[in-house]
Amino acid sequence: MNADLEEQEDELLALQSIFGSEEFIRNESKAAGEIRVSVELPADFTVVLKEGETLRQYDISFLPPLLLTFELPHHYPSSSPPSFSLACCWLTHTQLSALTARLIELYQATGGAVVLFSWAQFLKEETLSFLGLHNVLELPSDEDVQRDPESNTGREKPLPSENSLKNISDDSVPVGEKKAERASQPSEFKADFKNEGAASLSDSTSELQKAQTLSGLSLSQMLLSRILIHQAEQKQKAFASTLFECGVCFITAPGSECVQLSECHHIFCQACLAEFCRVRITEGTVRGLTCPQADCTATPTPAQVRSLVGDELFSRYDRLLLQSTLDLMSDVVYCPRRSCGSAVILEKSSTAAMCSVCNFAFCVTCRKTYHGAEDCYAPKQQKEDELEEILDLPETNEGIKALMDDYTSGSAERKRLLEKRYGRSVMLFTIEEMLSNEWMKGNSKNCPHCFSKIEKNGGCDMMVCRCCTQRFCWACLSRLSSRRERVGDCSSCAFW
């Protein structure tokens, strides 16, 4: 007996050194524990779920592990096998029964040697081939799931969770007794196993039905969801432990310090991509917040942007992205009230619009208070011309600029005289606005796509609009494709 206890202790210590803390958990109070075995899958392994006439297929690299829970009796390994249970969410009761019987056969073949590591290796490397699954795992449909779990026809209910199905043998299988007794014991084990398993399956079905009621998913959908979630978690673990070269700084870093864009799968280190995102958001060019790789238009997910720049900048990014999206919509305008500025959806058959926030009704054409069938208010240029006639302002821009310079650099007495002649509001606001508008006419152009005002302050004639990210030629205002193909007819376009 002392030899058995020593072998048990040696085996448990060996398992602790072989498996990681997530794969092997030892019960320190007794000779027991559990092993989580991840089954090896072929490269082209597929999970299939049939829902009515629809066949859904998924390429899977990782399946949820089998849970082998064991307790070592006093006479293990010399004359008794471990008391154990198998649980797995994607195997049926019949398949788990077959695996359990095979594990007992493996113990009997050892002739009284330790067997837990051999069991784990068998489950890892030979489960699929032993069960005849090969490259495809067909999940049961809802009709199959609703069948009686003890029925021997058709596929039986899957196990919904690792702890839901406990196929435990209370009777050990002694080795080294009389030949007739040894021959009868495996069948007794199978009988006990089947009875206990059926009772446990009934309990797990009740738990699964409760979870189904809360989630609104069918039993088969819950099983598929668990497989896909496990697949994503394992892929993320593998990514975090792999080394990648950043596409910006070309420094090698582990995946835990990198970000992979889901659309294009390009990988960058967190520091480079975070700085890239911060610059774009600070400058307000959120439409340009795309993959840093040349000619790639993929965008990071909102969750990735938030994790890179923090909540404060992400709030600005979210607001600017919404605003730029609304700017590109032809049926959306903004409330003309400066204290509001909310987005308003237009009706195609009407020139009237009403802000849903401040309830201001306005004309879509002139952006003033709605005036019914009457003509719109005079355009801005006409108002400026009338103002010049009434106030006798200088006729040229140079004269108006000279008047403004005289006012800003003059003494207090001079300012009072000019304000008395032209009016204080005219000197402070109107003239400055007129000069600003005149400057924009001569120094800016409208984007050919969204018609935003754009100033060219240097560089070549290939421009990118900050509002809509449209590329265009400054000389002829022809739109340019992202591949820099020639679109316009001017000499500047020949370079793009």
Side-chain angles (χ1 to χ4, degrees):
M1 181 176 179
N2 290 334
D4 285 337
L5 294 179
E6 289 180 3
E7 287 194 58
Q8 291 179 19
E9 182 64 21
D10 291 341
E11 183 179 26
L12 293 176
L13 291 175
L15 291 176
Q16 281 183 312
S17 64
I18 294 172
F19 297 108
S21 58
E22 295 183 357
E23 297 175 295
F24 175 71
I25 300 176
R26 179 178 177 178
N27 188 337
E28 299 294 344
S29 62
K30 54 184 178 180
E34 61 182 37
I35 304 174
R36 297 177 181 268
V37 182
S38 297
V39 177
E40 290 184 349
L41 304 181
D44 56 347
F45 191 80
T46 304
V47 171
V48 178
L49 174 63
K50 187 175 182 181
E51 295 181 332
E53 300 298 327
T54 305
L55 188 65
R56 303 170 64 180
Q57 296 184 351
Y58 300 87
D59 294 331
I60 298 296
S61 304
F62 305 93
L63 282 172
L66 283 83
L67 180 63
L68 172 63
T69 305
F70 64 89
E71 183 174 351
L72 305 180
H74 295 296
H75 298 289
Y76 169 81
S78 62
S79 59
S80 300
S83 298
F84 69 98
S85 66
L86 275 179
C88 183
C89 65
W90 48 273
L91 291 179
T92 64
H93 173 77
T94 301
Q95 291 169 331
L96 287 173
S97 299
L99 288 175
T100 300
R102 179 57 181 163
L103 295 184
I104 293 296
E105 294 175 359
L106 291 176
Y107 167 75
Q108 292 173 344
T110 64
V114 293
V115 75
L116 290 178
F117 179 75
S118 299
W119 281 4
Q121 286 298 104
F122 167 77
L123 294 175
K124 178 180 180 180
E125 299 174 357
E126 301 182 37
T127 293
L128 294 184
S129 59
F130 177 76
L131 298 177
L133 296 178
H134 304 296
N135 297 330
V136 178
L137 173 65
E138 184 177 352
L139 300 182
S141 63
D142 293 341
E143 295 178 358
D144 295 331
V145 172
Q146 293 172 359
R147 293 181 182 177
D148 187 346
E150 297 186 3
S151 172
N152 294 324
T153 60
R155 182 156 184 160
E156 297 168 337
K157 290 188 177 182
L159 303 179
S161 65
E162 294 168 347
N163 297 321
S164 62
L165 184 54
K166 303 278 186 183
N167 301 305
I168 304 175
S169 172
D170 294 332
D171 299 329
S172 61
V173 183
V175 177
E177 296 183 2
K178 294 181 181 180
K179 194 170 184 179
E181 294 176 354
R182 290 175 74 186
S184 64
Q185 285 168 351
S187 62
E188 294 173 0
F189 177 89
K190 293 178 183 177
D192 293 340
F193 171 85
K194 183 173 182 180
N195 292 336
E196 294 179 9
S200 180
L201 186 63
S202 175
D203 296 339
S204 67
T205 302
S206 176
E207 295 175 4
L208 188 59
Q209 289 174 344
K210 293 179 182 179
Q212 177 191 7
T213 303
L214 295 175
S215 66
L217 298 176
S218 65
L219 300 177
S220 58
Q221 289 173 338
M222 291 177 62
L223 176 56
L224 178 61
S225 174
R226 178 170 181 180
I227 292 176
L228 295 178
I229 290 174
H230 179 78
Q231 160 98 342
E233 291 175 347
Q234 294 305 309
K235 280 191 172 182
Q236 183 59 36
K237 287 183 179 180
F239 177 83
S241 59
T242 307
L243 294 177
F244 299 96
E245 184 182 81
C246 174
V248 176
C249 64
F250 303 105
I251 295 177
T252 301
S256 57
E257 300 176 7
C258 296
V259 177
Q260 183 178 39
L261 303 187
S262 57
E263 292 182 31
C264 59
H265 303 295
H266 290 142
I267 299 174
F268 308 94
C269 69
Q270 293 178 0
C272 289
L273 194 57
E275 182 62 22
F276 176 78
C277 292
R278 279 193 289 267
V279 170
R280 290 293 189 184
I281 296 174
T282 304
E283 292 180 348
T285 56
V286 293
R287 285 286 171 184
L289 207 164
T290 57
C291 175
Q293 194 77 18
D295 298 327
C296 182
T297 58
T299 57
T301 64
Q304 288 175 329
V305 176
R306 182 191 291 272
S307 65
L308 290 170
V309 303
D311 292 336
E312 184 177 351
L313 269 183
F314 179 79
S315 178
R316 173 178 169 82
Y317 165 78
D318 195 35
R319 175 174 55 82
L320 292 177
L321 186 61
L322 174 61
Q323 181 178 336
S324 64
T325 302
L326 294 175
D327 289 342
L328 297 177
M329 299 174 65
S330 59
D331 60 343
V332 173
V333 296
Y334 293 97
C335 175
R337 281 184 171 175
R338 293 184 178 180
S339 59
C340 182
S342 302
V344 180
I345 299 178
L346 302 179
E347 295 183 8
K348 295 182 179 180
S349 59
S350 176
T351 59
M354 175 173 285
C355 177
S356 59
V357 177
C358 66
N359 296 323
F360 177 58
F362 60 94
C363 173
V364 175
T365 306
C366 64
R367 307 298 172 89
K368 302 295 182 181
T369 303
Y370 184 63
H371 46 75
E374 297 180 3
D375 294 336
C376 292
Y377 294 102
K380 189 172 184 180
Q381 185 60 45
Q382 182 179 344
K383 284 190 172 184
E384 291 178 357
D385 294 340
E386 293 175 353
L387 186 62
E388 290 178 7
E389 294 179 1
I390 296 172
L391 299 177
D392 193 23
L393 290 173
E395 296 181 358
T396 63
N397 291 328
E398 290 76 9
I400 295 177
K401 186 176 180 181
L403 177 61
M404 190 64 184
D405 292 340
D406 185 16
Y407 178 78
T408 54
S409 61
S411 62
E413 183 63 26
R414 180 60 178 170
K415 288 182 179 180
R416 279 197 297 270
L417 289 174
L418 292 175
E419 291 173 359
K420 184 177 181 180
R421 179 177 180 182
Y422 298 105
R424 178 178 174 82
S425 62
V426 172
M427 296 304 303
L428 291 177
F429 305 109
T430 306
I431 293 180
E432 184 176 355
E433 183 179 357
M434 291 170 61
L435 292 173
S436 177
N437 292 335
E438 194 63 31
W439 185 93
M440 285 193 294
K441 289 179 183 178
N443 295 274
S444 67
K445 294 182 180 180
N446 292 328
C447 168
H449 183 70
C450 68
F451 305 105
S452 300
K453 288 285 187 182
I454 297 178
E455 174 194 359
K456 181 176 182 294
N457 56 11
C460 64
D461 283 339
M462 198 281 286
M463 304 289 290
V464 180
C465 177
R466 284 193 174 185
C467 296
C468 65
T469 68
Q470 173 65 50
R471 296 173 183 263
F472 65 94
C473 173
W474 178 260
C476 66
L477 296 181
S478 297
R479 300 187 189 189
L480 302 175
S481 69
S482 59
R483 295 183 179 180
R484 298 187 175 183
E485 298 171 351
R486 180 173 179 179
V487 178
D489 298 325
C490 72
S491 58
S492 298
C493 294
F495 296 99
W496 311 103

